[in-house]
Amino acid sequence: MLTCYACERRFETGQRCDCGEPLWVDTDPAGIAWPDRDGVWAFGDLLPVERPPDGLAAAAGGTPLVRTPALDVDGARVHVKLEGTNPTGSFKDRGSAVGVAAAVAAGTDTVGTVSHGNMAASMAAHAAGADLDCVVLVPADIPEARLGRIATYGPRIVRVDGDYGRLYHDALALAPAAGVEFVVSDSPLRVAGQKTTTLEVLRAFAAGEASGAGDGAAPSPSVPDAVVLPVSSGGHASAAWKAVREASAAGLLDDPPRLYFVQAAACAPVARAFERGDEAVTRLAPEEVGETVAYSIANADPPSGTRALAAARDTGGAVLAVDDDAIRDAQRDLAGAGLRVEAASATPLAAVRTLRERGAVDRGEHVVCVATGVGYGSGSTAVDAETVARADLGAALGVE
């Protein structure tokens, strides 16, 4: 079953509620205990599909949680969750693994997504690993280097000329008639997989594996004080909240962590809504969006933005924005600690510095920064991509 977090309506299928908010997979965490290992499928009792016996999807998750004293912020103790060690280099593999496994179980032949970055490459790779066809919708002006990396895995790439921000909704509307299971940025299946990032963090602390030993500090508590993630569509933020809710419902958390979400100041609709005290996130106008080094999280119309807003408030956290200078400084300091991350993945450390200055994070608190990926890079594969107008997308996907 699927549930709307906002109005609590339940559905058998679908991706969004009639109220307009996104759905997530309903679970029953009663009686669940922490597994003795990490990895997406270690949390199988909380997932909507069985672990595949082999292939790329079986390898998702199980990323390191690194205690980094060199990155501590005025007494606040920093840990970094390195999601770049996933098979294609980002946390997106968690959601793609579950989405593709579900498609295989359902007998679906074709999966797809809407992305010009990590999610496109991840979905194409996982589809190839499961011998499924894959359709990736990208903006018409996507750089050729990015196309090359996506094309490596052999998906059908459709460049769409028009409002890229509306492709998410176009994909969901066309999916049934097109025969494509679109696993978009906040699909219930993707959120189900991506919640395992935070479940792994919580399990590590509960097991005493996140100890601050070696830096002269006392061992870490059984629960982190705060978890900080970048936010773009709001799917990963929603997944973190789902993880905290499920662990709390299972009686595994005495004092749940605060969730903080961070955006680049040049494109920060969720942070703006939080600062204003708004109940919902509204789309930014084109003139309100600037350029940023953290381009992979520059989403002017996040489909799960309002859910991310609710997550921050429910856990006593916040949503904030950091500028490019702060992002570059954090990325340089992470590299100085031996951690290679893309610009978007440096935003959590930049945010912790701001939160410490504001007094929102105290000395001695343990804070986990989720570094979502190593960077998109480029590819050299020859690209065979068609270009269609947005108005003709249905026909391109075989929908009359």
Side-chain angles (χ1 to χ4, degrees):
M1 291 294 292
L2 304 171
T3 302
C4 175
Y5 80 97
C7 69
E8 300 184 347
R9 288 192 62 188
R10 305 183 74 197
F11 299 81
E12 292 284 349
T13 61
Q15 304 217 32
R16 299 192 76 86
C17 180
D18 294 341
C19 75
E21 284 300 288
L23 305 175
W24 55 24
V25 177
D26 200 11
T27 58
D28 180 10
I32 297 296
W34 289 123
D36 59 3
R37 66 193 187 284
D38 278 339
V40 167
W41 306 103
F43 303 95
D45 288 341
L46 295 172
L47 296 176
V49 64
E50 295 292 323
R51 178 188 187 276
D54 49 35
L56 189 64
T63 59
L65 177 64
V66 182
R67 173 72 181 100
T68 51
L71 299 176
D72 286 356
V73 182
D74 188 24
R77 297 166 183 166
V78 174
H79 305 250
V80 181
K81 181 67 168 167
L82 291 172
E83 287 296 283
T85 61
N86 273 295
T88 70
S90 86
F91 77 101
K92 295 293 187 180
D93 284 328
R94 296 177 183 270
S96 297
V98 172
V100 167
V104 171
T108 302
D109 295 324
T110 306
V111 295
T113 198
V114 179
S115 169
H116 56 84
N118 290 318
M119 186 165 62
S122 175
M123 199 67 190
H126 282 266
D131 198 26
L132 298 181
D133 291 331
C134 182
V135 177
V136 178
L137 306 183
V138 302
D141 60 355
I142 183 174
E144 290 295 325
R146 286 188 157 209
L147 274 181
R149 184 179 173 215
I150 300 169
T152 298
Y153 306 106
R156 178 188 177 190
I157 301 174
V158 182
R159 302 168 97 160
V160 183
D161 189 10
D163 185 351
Y164 178 71
R166 301 306 301 171
L167 279 186
Y168 167 98
H169 302 282
D170 293 341
L172 296 187
L174 293 168
V180 179
E181 178 66 39
F182 277 102
V183 185
V184 291
S185 59
D186 64 347
S187 292
L189 291 170
R190 184 166 295 282
V191 169
Q194 290 173 180
K195 73 185 177 187
T196 61
T197 304
T198 301
L199 287 172
E200 285 185 6
V201 168
L202 298 175
R203 189 208 67 81
F205 272 79
E209 297 171 6
S211 175
D215 63 344
S220 300
S222 61
V223 180
D225 296 290
V227 179
V228 189
L229 305 89
V231 60
S232 173
S233 71
H236 203 197
S238 301
W241 190 28
K242 191 70 160 67
V244 169
R245 287 165 62 113
E246 289 179 349
S248 297
L252 298 175
L253 296 179
D254 293 330
D255 188 12
R258 307 187 301 276
L259 296 179
Y260 293 100
F261 308 123
V262 56
Q263 299 194 284
C267 185
V270 188
R272 181 181 71 172
F274 183 86
E275 291 296 328
R276 290 179 175 179
D278 293 345
E279 292 299 316
V281 175
T282 55
R283 183 180 187 178
L284 296 180
E287 62 272 15
E288 295 177 300
V289 178
E291 295 293 323
T292 175
V293 294
Y295 52 82
S296 63
I297 59 170
N299 191 329
D301 188 19
S304 273
T306 299
R307 187 163 59 177
L309 196 64
R313 288 173 174 155
D314 180 66
T315 60
V319 188
L320 64 159
V322 293
D323 64 29
D324 277 14
D325 286 343
I327 296 170
R328 291 190 188 96
D329 288 346
Q331 187 178 28
R332 182 193 63 236
D333 292 342
L334 283 156
L339 307 179
R340 174 176 169 255
V341 304
E342 64 179 323
S345 293
T347 59
L349 179 59
V352 173
R353 292 169 173 173
T354 298
L355 291 166
R356 183 71 190 95
E357 290 175 0
R358 295 178 180 176
V361 168
D362 293 332
R363 292 180 63 86
E365 288 199 307
H366 288 260
V367 183
V368 176
C369 294
V370 179
T372 47
V374 293
Y376 194 67
S378 61
S380 58
T381 301
V383 178
D384 180 15
E386 61 203 281
T387 301
V388 302
R390 182 177 164 234
D392 299 326
L393 179 58
L397 295 179
V399 178
E400 298 298 330

